[in-house]
Amino acid sequence: MGNFFFQKDIISIRDLDREKFDTIFNATDKIIAMSPNERRELARGKTLGYLFFEPSTRTRLSFEAAMASLGGTSIGIADALSSSTKKGESLADTVRIMSLYSDVLVLRHQLDGSSRFAAEVSAKPLINAGSGTEEHPTQAILDLYTIRKEKKKIDGLKIGVVGDLKYGRTVYSLLYALGNYKVDVHLISPPALKIRADSTYEIQKRLPFKESTDLEENLDEFDVLYVTRIQKERFADAEEYAKVKGSYKIGLDMLKKMKDDAIIMHPLPRLDEISPEVDSTPYAKYFTQAQYGKDTRAALLALILNEKGI
Amino acid sequence: MGNFFFQKDIISIRDLDREKFDTIFNATDKIIAMSPNERRELARGKTLGYLFFEPSTRTRLSFEAAMASLGGTSIGIADALSSSTKKGESLADTVRIMSLYSDVLVLRHQLDGSSRFAAEVSAKPLINAGSGTEEHPTQAILDLYTIRKEKKKIDGLKIGVVGDLKYGRTVYSLLYALGNYKVDVHLISPPALKIRADSTYEIQKRLPFKESTDLEENLDEFDVLYVTRIQKERFADAEEYAKVKGSYKIGLDMLKKMKDDAIIMHPLPRLDEISPEVDSTPYAKYFTQAQYGKDTRAALLALILNEKGI
Amino acid sequence: MGNFFFQKDIISIRDLDREKFDTIFNATDKIIAMSPNERRELARGKTLGYLFFEPSTRTRLSFEAAMASLGGTSIGIADALSSSTKKGESLADTVRIMSLYSDVLVLRHQLDGSSRFAAEVSAKPLINAGSGTEEHPTQAILDLYTIRKEKKKIDGLKIGVVGDLKYGRTVYSLLYALGNYKVDVHLISPPALKIRADSTYEIQKRLPFKESTDLEENLDEFDVLYVTRIQKERFADAEEYAKVKGSYKIGLDMLKKMKDDAIIMHPLPRLDEISPEVDSTPYAKYFTQAQYGKDTRAALLALILNEKGI
């Protein structure tokens, strides 16, 4: 009997549930434990084709590193918006042709629904590497894996999510994913960067969360503090930005108020939301998280490409 | 005894004849039939170096995918015009150095004769991936292979070529290639985009062809309809463009006038010369053609890199 | 006992001495003598991550070709300045994350000290592929190797270095490297492009060199003539540039004045400092030098990645 993910698309975090997450997590554990020689048999001679209509060097390299660790090759277009559409080709044709050259496709696109549409025309399984305003399923998977690995569980945790909750697709995907677990979620953001009510209507049904603007207020309760970037461009007023930026900055002083075994996560890149002094403390898990990004993506690729799983 | 293509350059479609085409076609058939494990031994540990002085994402990725399927690696410069000549280096030096880093070179360049010149200074065999106004030998090879594979023969076919026949190097290479076969060729284009008389003088000697402006007139006779892009930039007058564009568009209505077993080809990318509804009909062979592009290039690379052929 | 370079950084040419150079040279000899099958086991399944904050297509491709010849994969950012810092990420974070995706890092950066700093935050060994005004250790290594290989020795040679000695980091690294040998060095440049006195203070202690402005004066004495590019941008006055350019140009006439067994080197790319007619003479070793660049980098990578050396 084949594994569930064999030749499947990964389009939306909403298509996955606890059981499917467990399959990916267990595969990731195995990938990490494997010898390099075993690992590089999992995609030997296979080709990953990527199409990035939005630049995302980090996500792209994470997939390329994952594919290389499995013994496979990556080819593709890092700036598909300029190179492909320059000749006026439709997304459907670009995806179709790329899928003829590859064994699995990775797509990043600015439009909601682009991945679902692309998967329909693709001749090969397609992984959504970020689309539209809400979907970044592989980021949510690596976030969950990081929590599970570093806290040994997900259920029962108190999780603070802080920063720009309005514009980051990462946060929406994470909240959808967390809806599968019994967690206590607290969202902290400046009023102008609150999570969008229309998007969270569905999330709220499964994952009731609290909202506030003051980070320090509940800081001593969190098991996980998930920090996101606040971008200057989001503010009309420079003073407003400066104020917000300062109040959400995690430095050594903040750590003293946190639980001893709390962890700090960040999807990266960071600006100065987290002070560099924090990096060498046991709280800091954002680089570990980036490494798990490679590992979880390797696991996903291995499951998609190998009928018997790993 | 080595195979003919071992360590040979592929510069011009005019250097090839029926026998050489057959060698490539047979090698392609074998490549397609091979197991992935066998295939990836054919260029294992070998490096393809590419130099694209004109952007051509599709052709480049086709070569990269072909090389990966043979177990090899691709490195190179996708925008050689900006990166290499920025420092004022000559084409000869760029080619020479790239050839020291690779086992086989792939060159795309806007100038006629560039490939012949580059092959002379290269330390390794060189494949012309499009040069000047007329030469794109690997495109012509994949076009012939598609016809042969889908129609089971080339001799005796009636082939319509429609669209911009003046500016597309693809068409010139295809006509030179077809000159090796007994085919009945009909060129259909608006008067302003007729094939260049000076270029076809030589073609005409071996391949007498008819010319007209009306696509529908002979549509019911063609075994193969080869459609090319008509670019807006070629027209001084927007109205003229709109008229031409409309009259050469292949939609479901056109298909009804075609032979039941006719095939439609296109070098891609397409704009709206072929309506998307056509894609799912048995006439549509342009995506299959793109896939054969990868396969024929893999065969060519394998022949060039392996003395005993495949 | 492991080899010295296993898991070590290569930051500065000043960290290396004759013994270490010999280790690399011997490894390079072995790499060249190896069968492709043996060679491609040396980095099988390993990933090189590159970060180029300054464009350098040639150096990057040389590393990629070296890694491919060892059976490894390369991933990275060719224009890190635009892609990474666009999101405001620090060099430290970019390096850290890249090092989580790779087994060895290659960094090119415009700032002095960048490599040393990056090596400290990197989770994997780091090779400096050019930094700041003076350091380009792998270029110096390939230069030394070329001299040793083509002249069968380094000690006792008379070496002329001509061109822009002020702005080329290649020259500083070469002089530091030559400081380990008993060589007679003569620097020839226009007054405006003389080597910087503050940088050579330390070099002078170990490698006393002569300076002059006239190339032809001592041309008959050199065993090695190392030519570098003179860039127009360095001159305020176009006439001054034209004069200088002409007087340092190596053509067939110059060769007649040289020792019969002298060799001409150049880090490439060249403009017209060396006339193309020179290329086919036995003096010309600059393309051979580029090839050794790939070989010495392969040797270095193999030593860094394999505990037992090669």
Side-chain angles (χ1 to χ4, degrees):
Chain A
M1 202 201 65
N3 90 78
F4 171 79
F5 290 102
F6 179 61
Q7 294 295 320
K8 286 278 199 319
D9 305 308
I10 306 293
I11 302 301
S12 168
I13 196 68
R14 307 187 211 187
D15 299 335
L16 302 175
D17 57 22
R18 283 181 82 121
E19 196 191 327
K20 292 184 184 107
F21 287 134
D22 278 340
T23 303
I24 300 169
F25 298 159
N26 293 335
T28 307
D29 289 341
K30 279 188 203 162
I31 286 274
I32 293 173
M34 269 183 180
S35 78
N37 275 333
E38 274 181 288
R39 205 183 294 132
R40 76 175 70 118
E41 288 304 309
L42 291 169
R44 198 160 76 89
K46 296 278 168 58
T47 302
L48 178 157
Y50 57 80
L51 290 171
F52 277 70
F53 286 84
E54 268 183 358
S56 178
T57 309
R58 207 169 320 276
T59 302
R60 179 172 60 79
L61 290 174
S62 176
F63 272 107
E64 284 196 62
M67 193 64 181
S69 77
L70 302 178
T73 304
S74 297
I75 64 172
I77 320 182
D79 59 341
L81 200 59
S82 63
S83 85
S84 231
T85 56
K86 201 159 57 188
K87 293 188 174 173
E89 189 177 62
S90 69
L91 173 63
D93 279 15
T94 303
V95 166
R96 240 178 234 128
I97 295 167
M98 198 69 205
S99 77
L100 298 173
Y101 295 165
S102 322
D103 298 290
V104 57
L105 271 193
V106 171
L107 175 74
R108 172 86 154 221
H109 199 281
Q110 66 280 10
L111 292 183
D112 287 315
S114 51
S115 262
R116 185 86 58 192
F117 169 73
E120 275 167 28
V121 298
S122 172
K124 304 287 161 53
L126 183 144
I127 301 175
N128 181 358
S131 68
T133 52
E134 294 182 19
E135 283 291 0
H136 197 350
T138 62
Q139 177 73 43
I141 290 167
L142 79 90
D143 289 344
L144 286 192
Y145 183 81
T146 304
I147 296 171
R148 172 184 172 276
K149 190 87 172 177
E150 297 298 321
K151 299 301 301 176
K152 313 289 177 217
K153 61 172 184 179
I154 300 177
D155 286 321
L157 294 179
K158 184 149 189 174
I159 300 172
V161 184
V162 60
D164 174 357
L165 308 184
K166 185 170 184 181
Y167 296 105
R169 60 166 77 101
T170 302
V171 170
Y172 294 89
S173 277
L174 177 60
L175 295 180
Y176 276 111
L178 287 173
N180 292 281
Y181 298 87
K182 295 183 186 64
V183 288
D184 189 0
V185 168
H186 199 122
L187 305 182
I188 305 123
S189 65
L193 298 178
K194 271 184 63 174
I195 200 151
R196 288 187 300 269
D198 54 334
S199 295
T200 52
Y201 177 77
E202 201 186 327
I203 293 173
Q204 288 263 28
K205 286 191 255 176
R206 303 174 62 194
L207 182 79
F209 52 77
K210 293 191 207 80
E211 295 189 75
S212 69
T213 60
D214 184 350
L215 173 58
E216 296 191 49
E217 196 177 11
N218 304 89
L219 199 53
D220 57 342
E221 298 164 19
F222 299 138
D223 300 296
V224 176
L225 184 64
Y226 194 100
V227 184
T228 68
R229 228 165 12 129
I230 294 187
Q231 292 173 281
K232 204 175 175 174
E233 306 86 78
R234 305 300 187 193
F235 292 85
D237 182 348
E239 253 177 67
E240 184 64 20
Y241 167 68
K243 202 176 74 184
V244 163
K245 196 181 106 175
S247 70
Y248 292 108
K249 187 166 174 168
I250 313 295
L252 292 180
D253 50 331
M254 290 289 216
L255 300 188
K256 288 182 201 146
K257 295 168 192 155
M258 292 179 73
K259 275 187 169 181
D260 283 352
D261 61 349
I263 64 170
I264 297 173
M265 296 172 63
H266 192 299
L268 304 178
R270 67 166 158 183
L271 301 180
D272 47 14
E273 310 85 42
I274 303 177
S275 162
E277 298 111 42
V278 175
D279 297 1
S280 53
T281 71
Y283 297 92
K285 294 297 174 195
Y286 26 94
F287 292 116
T288 309
Q289 185 185 356
Q291 180 145 27
Y292 291 149
K294 176 188 155 189
D295 299 328
T296 49
R297 285 173 178 128
L300 210 48
L301 289 166
L303 290 171
I304 289 170
L305 293 170
N306 293 280
E307 187 163 8
K308 295 181 185 170
I310 51 175
Chain B
M1 200 201 65
N3 90 78
F4 171 80
F5 289 101
F6 180 60
Q7 294 295 320
K8 288 277 199 318
D9 304 308
I10 306 293
I11 301 301
S12 168
I13 196 69
R14 307 188 211 187
D15 299 335
L16 303 175
D17 57 22
R18 282 180 82 120
E19 196 190 328
K20 291 186 184 105
F21 287 135
D22 278 340
T23 304
I24 300 168
F25 298 158
N26 292 335
T28 307
D29 289 341
K30 279 190 203 161
I31 286 274
I32 293 173
M34 268 183 180
S35 77
N37 275 333
E38 274 180 289
R39 204 183 296 131
R40 75 175 71 118
E41 288 304 309
L42 291 168
R44 198 160 76 91
K46 297 277 168 56
T47 302
L48 177 158
Y50 57 81
L51 289 172
F52 277 71
F53 285 86
E54 268 183 359
S56 177
T57 310
R58 208 169 320 274
T59 302
R60 178 172 61 77
L61 290 175
S62 176
F63 272 107
E64 285 196 61
M67 193 64 181
S69 76
L70 302 179
T73 305
S74 297
I75 64 172
I77 319 184
D79 59 340
L81 200 58
S82 63
S83 85
S84 232
T85 55
K86 200 159 57 187
K87 293 187 175 176
E89 189 176 61
S90 69
L91 174 63
D93 279 15
T94 303
V95 166
R96 241 179 234 126
I97 294 168
M98 199 68 205
S99 77
L100 299 172
Y101 295 164
S102 321
D103 297 290
V104 57
L105 270 193
V106 171
L107 176 73
R108 171 85 154 223
H109 198 282
Q110 66 280 10
L111 292 183
D112 287 317
S114 51
S115 261
R116 186 85 60 195
F117 169 74
E120 276 168 27
V121 299
S122 172
K124 305 287 161 52
L126 182 144
I127 301 176
N128 180 359
S131 67
T133 52
E134 294 182 19
E135 284 291 358
H136 196 349
T138 62
Q139 177 73 43
I141 290 167
L142 79 90
D143 289 343
L144 287 192
Y145 183 81
T146 304
I147 296 171
R148 172 185 172 276
K149 190 86 173 177
E150 297 297 321
K151 298 301 302 176
K152 313 288 177 217
K153 60 173 185 178
I154 300 177
D155 286 322
L157 295 179
K158 183 149 191 174
I159 300 173
V161 184
V162 60
D164 174 357
L165 308 184
K166 185 169 184 182
Y167 297 106
R169 61 165 78 99
T170 301
V171 170
Y172 294 89
S173 277
L174 176 61
L175 294 180
Y176 277 111
L178 287 173
N180 292 281
Y181 297 87
K182 295 182 186 64
V183 288
D184 190 359
V185 168
H186 198 122
L187 306 182
I188 305 122
S189 65
L193 298 179
K194 272 185 62 174
I195 200 150
R196 289 186 300 269
D198 53 335
S199 295
T200 51
Y201 177 76
E202 200 185 329
I203 293 172
Q204 287 262 29
K205 286 192 256 176
R206 303 174 61 194
L207 182 78
F209 52 77
K210 293 191 207 79
E211 294 189 76
S212 69
T213 60
D214 184 352
L215 173 59
E216 297 190 48
E217 196 177 10
N218 303 88
L219 200 53
D220 57 342
E221 298 165 20
F222 300 137
D223 300 296
V224 176
L225 183 65
Y226 195 100
V227 184
T228 68
R229 228 164 12 130
I230 295 187
Q231 292 173 282
K232 202 174 175 174
E233 307 84 79
R234 305 301 188 193
F235 293 83
D237 182 346
E239 253 178 67
E240 184 63 21
Y241 167 69
K243 201 176 73 188
V244 163
K245 196 181 107 175
S247 70
Y248 291 108
K249 185 165 174 168
I250 313 295
L252 291 180
D253 50 331
M254 290 289 215
L255 299 189
K256 289 182 201 148
K257 296 168 191 154
M258 293 179 70
K259 276 187 169 181
D260 283 351
D261 61 349
I263 63 171
I264 298 172
M265 296 171 63
H266 192 299
L268 304 180
R270 67 168 157 180
L271 300 181
D272 46 14
E273 310 84 44
I274 303 177
S275 161
E277 298 110 43
V278 176
D279 298 1
S280 54
T281 71
Y283 299 91
K285 293 298 174 195
Y286 26 94
F287 292 116
T288 309
Q289 185 185 356
Q291 180 144 26
Y292 291 150
K294 175 188 155 187
D295 298 328
T296 49
R297 286 173 178 128
L300 210 49
L301 289 166
L303 290 171
I304 290 171
L305 294 170
N306 293 280
E307 187 162 9
K308 294 181 188 171
I310 49 175
Chain C
M1 202 202 66
N3 89 78
F4 171 79
F5 289 102
F6 180 60
Q7 294 296 318
K8 287 277 200 316
D9 304 309
I10 306 293
I11 301 302
S12 168
I13 197 68
R14 307 187 209 186
D15 299 335
L16 303 175
D17 57 22
R18 282 180 82 120
E19 196 191 326
K20 293 186 183 104
F21 287 134
D22 279 340
T23 303
I24 300 169
F25 297 159
N26 293 334
T28 307
D29 288 343
K30 279 187 204 164
I31 286 273
I32 293 173
M34 268 183 181
S35 78
N37 275 333
E38 273 181 289
R39 204 183 295 131
R40 75 175 72 118
E41 289 303 309
L42 291 168
R44 198 160 75 89
K46 296 277 169 58
T47 302
L48 177 157
Y50 58 79
L51 290 172
F52 277 70
F53 286 85
E54 268 183 0
S56 177
T57 309
R58 209 167 320 273
T59 302
R60 178 172 61 79
L61 289 174
S62 175
F63 272 107
E64 284 196 61
M67 193 64 180
S69 77
L70 303 178
T73 304
S74 297
I75 64 173
I77 319 184
D79 59 340
L81 200 58
S82 63
S83 85
S84 232
T85 55
K86 199 159 57 186
K87 293 189 175 174
E89 188 176 61
S90 69
L91 174 62
D93 279 15
T94 303
V95 167
R96 240 178 234 128
I97 294 168
M98 198 69 205
S99 76
L100 299 172
Y101 294 166
S102 321
D103 297 291
V104 58
L105 269 193
V106 171
L107 176 72
R108 172 86 155 223
H109 200 281
Q110 66 280 10
L111 292 183
D112 287 316
S114 51
S115 261
R116 186 85 61 193
F117 169 73
E120 275 167 29
V121 299
S122 172
K124 305 287 161 53
L126 183 145
I127 301 176
N128 180 359
S131 66
T133 53
E134 295 182 18
E135 284 290 1
H136 197 349
T138 63
Q139 177 72 44
I141 290 167
L142 79 90
D143 289 343
L144 286 193
Y145 183 80
T146 304
I147 296 172
R148 172 184 172 276
K149 190 88 173 176
E150 297 298 320
K151 299 301 301 175
K152 312 289 177 216
K153 62 172 184 178
I154 300 176
D155 287 321
L157 295 179
K158 184 150 190 175
I159 300 172
V161 184
V162 61
D164 174 358
L165 309 184
K166 186 169 184 181
Y167 296 105
R169 60 165 79 100
T170 301
V171 170
Y172 294 88
S173 277
L174 176 60
L175 295 180
Y176 276 111
L178 287 173
N180 292 281
Y181 298 87
K182 295 183 185 65
V183 288
D184 189 358
V185 169
H186 198 121
L187 305 182
I188 305 122
S189 65
L193 297 179
K194 272 186 61 174
I195 199 151
R196 288 187 300 269
D198 54 335
S199 295
T200 52
Y201 177 76
E202 201 186 328
I203 294 172
Q204 287 263 31
K205 285 191 256 176
R206 304 174 62 193
L207 182 79
F209 52 77
K210 294 191 207 78
E211 294 190 76
S212 70
T213 60
D214 185 351
L215 173 59
E216 296 191 49
E217 196 177 10
N218 303 89
L219 200 53
D220 58 341
E221 298 165 19
F222 300 136
D223 300 296
V224 176
L225 183 64
Y226 195 101
V227 184
T228 67
R229 228 163 13 128
I230 294 188
Q231 293 173 280
K232 203 174 176 175
E233 306 85 77
R234 305 301 188 194
F235 292 84
D237 182 348
E239 253 178 65
E240 184 64 19
Y241 167 69
K243 201 176 73 188
V244 163
K245 196 182 106 175
S247 70
Y248 290 109
K249 185 164 174 168
I250 313 295
L252 291 180
D253 51 331
M254 289 289 216
L255 299 189
K256 289 181 200 147
K257 295 168 191 156
M258 291 179 71
K259 276 186 168 180
D260 283 351
D261 61 350
I263 64 171
I264 297 172
M265 296 170 64
H266 192 298
L268 304 179
R270 67 168 157 180
L271 300 181
D272 45 14
E273 310 85 42
I274 303 178
S275 161
E277 298 110 43
V278 176
D279 297 1
S280 54
T281 71
Y283 298 92
K285 294 297 175 196
Y286 26 94
F287 292 116
T288 310
Q289 184 185 356
Q291 180 144 28
Y292 291 149
K294 177 188 154 188
D295 299 329
T296 49
R297 284 173 178 128
L300 210 49
L301 289 167
L303 290 170
I304 290 170
L305 294 170
N306 293 280
E307 186 162 10
K308 293 180 187 173
I310 52 175

